[in-house]
Amino acid sequence: MPLNIEKQMKAQLSEDILNVLKLCSKIADEHNFKIYLIGGIVRDLILKRKSLDIDITVEGDAVKFCHILAEKNCCKILQVQNELKTAKALFDGEIEIDFASTRQEFYPHRGHLPVVVKIGCSLQEDVYRRDFTINSLAMSLNKKDYGDVIDYVGGIKDLSNKKIRVLHDNSFNEDPSRILRALKFAARFNFHRDARTKALQEKYINTQIHNDISWTRIKSELKQCFSLNSAKIYDMFLANDNYKLIYGQKPEIKGLEIKTLVDKYNPYNVWLVYLGTVLTNTQIIEQFCFTRSEKKIFSDIEYLLNNHLSMMNTNYDIYKFFVKKSTESILVYYLLTQRKEALKYLENLSLIRVELNGDEIKAMGIQNGREIGEILDELLKKKLNGTIVKKGDEIKFVKSKIK
Ligand code: ATP
C-alpha cells in the first residue's frame, strides 16, 4: 500500500491551497492529464514542515494543461517557457504554482547545464534527473489515488532515516552544485549524507578538476546557504572541505564568530561576509558574474588585505583606511586579520561627520576650493581625535583660520 499523505495536506496547507489543488485535480481528470505534487513540497509534507513553493509536474505537456486551466478562468498564466514547457500560474490572485512537464535530461558536458532530451516522458524517467532521493518524491493529484506518494528511489525510507542520498554515482560530476544543496538540506533538517554520497562527494572535491563548471548554479546555492546566516552551515562548509569547490582557503574562523558580527552590524549582503572569508581566488571571483556592488565588496577586501597598515596610530589613520569601504569587506578584513581598528571604525568612527559643509565655509569668506578642502580635512581630523565636538567649535576653528 502506498503512503497516502492527504491527511498531512489537510493539516499543513491552507484551505485556499487545498481548494486550488482539488480544482487542478478535477480539470486534470476531465482532460486525461496525470499530475503530481513533486520535490520539496512532498518532502516537507512528510516531514510536517512548512513548504514555500508549490511545484506540480504534469506527465505530458504542462503548458497545455495550464492553458486549459486559464481558459476555464481557474488561474492567470504569469509566465511560460516554451523550450522546457513550464509555466507559472496565479490562482485566486495570490497562490502561485509552478507547473513543469515531465522531462529527461542529459549532461553532455560534465558540470554544465543539462540539455533536455525528452519532454513529456514518464514520471519515473523525470525522477531520475533529480538530486537526492528525499527530493524525488511525487504525490498524485488525480482523484483515483489522490494523496498517494510515488517513490521510485527509496526517498520515504531516507526521510525517516534522516539520510541525504544521491540517485547515482555520477550525480556530483553532472552537477557539483548538488554538493552545496546537500549542505543546505543537511543543515536545515539535521540530516546526514549516507556513506556512498559522502564518499562520492569527497572523491569529487579532492580528485576532480572542477574549474569548468556552471558557476551560476554554484553561486545561487552559495547565496542560499550563506544567506541563512547559519554558523552551522559555515562550520560544515569548512569541515566537509566544500571550500575546495571554489578553490577557496580554509580560515581559522568559527561560524558563530561571523554570525555574531553579522547580527551586530547588519550588512546588506550577509552571504558575502561568509563567502568573503574563503573566496580569495581572483580568477574564480571573475567566474561568478557578480553584480557591481558585489564586485566592489571583493575589490574592497583585496584592497584592505593588500594595503594592510601595520601602524594605525590615530583615529584619522583608521578612518582614512576604511572610509568608503563596504561593511561586508570591513567585517571580512576583521575576521581574517583580527585587527580591532576595523570594529572601531564601524562602531564609532564611521559615524563621525563634519557638520559644516563647503558652502557654509565659503559664506564665511574662504573662496578657494583647495583651501576649503584642506579645512574640511583638518576639521575631520579634529573631530575624529575628539578635540572638536560641536558645530559651534567648527565655526570657531574656521574663523581662526580666516584671521
Ligand atoms: P527548497 O525548500 O529549498 O525550495 P526544493 O527541494 O523545493 O527546496 P528547489 O531548488 O526549489 O528545491 O528545486 C525543486 C526540485 O527540483 C527539487 O526538490 C529537486 O527535485 C529538483 N532540483 C533542484 N535543483 C536540482 C539540481 N541541481 N539537480 C537535480 N535536481 C534538482
Side-chain angles (χ1 to χ4, degrees), residues 116-131:
V116 175
V117 282
K118 188 169 159 196
I119 291 186
C121 58
S122 69
L123 176 69
Q124 186 162 13
E125 286 168 318
D126 175 281
V127 157
Y128 284 111
R129 72 180 167 87
R130 295 178 185 270
D131 50 1

Side-chain angles (χ1 to χ4, degrees), residues 288-301:
F288 269 96
C289 297
F290 284 121
T291 62
R292 247 168 75 171
S293 59
E294 290 169 350
K295 267 189 198 145
K296 180 177 181 315
I297 292 171
F298 283 94
S299 62
D300 285 352
I301 295 172

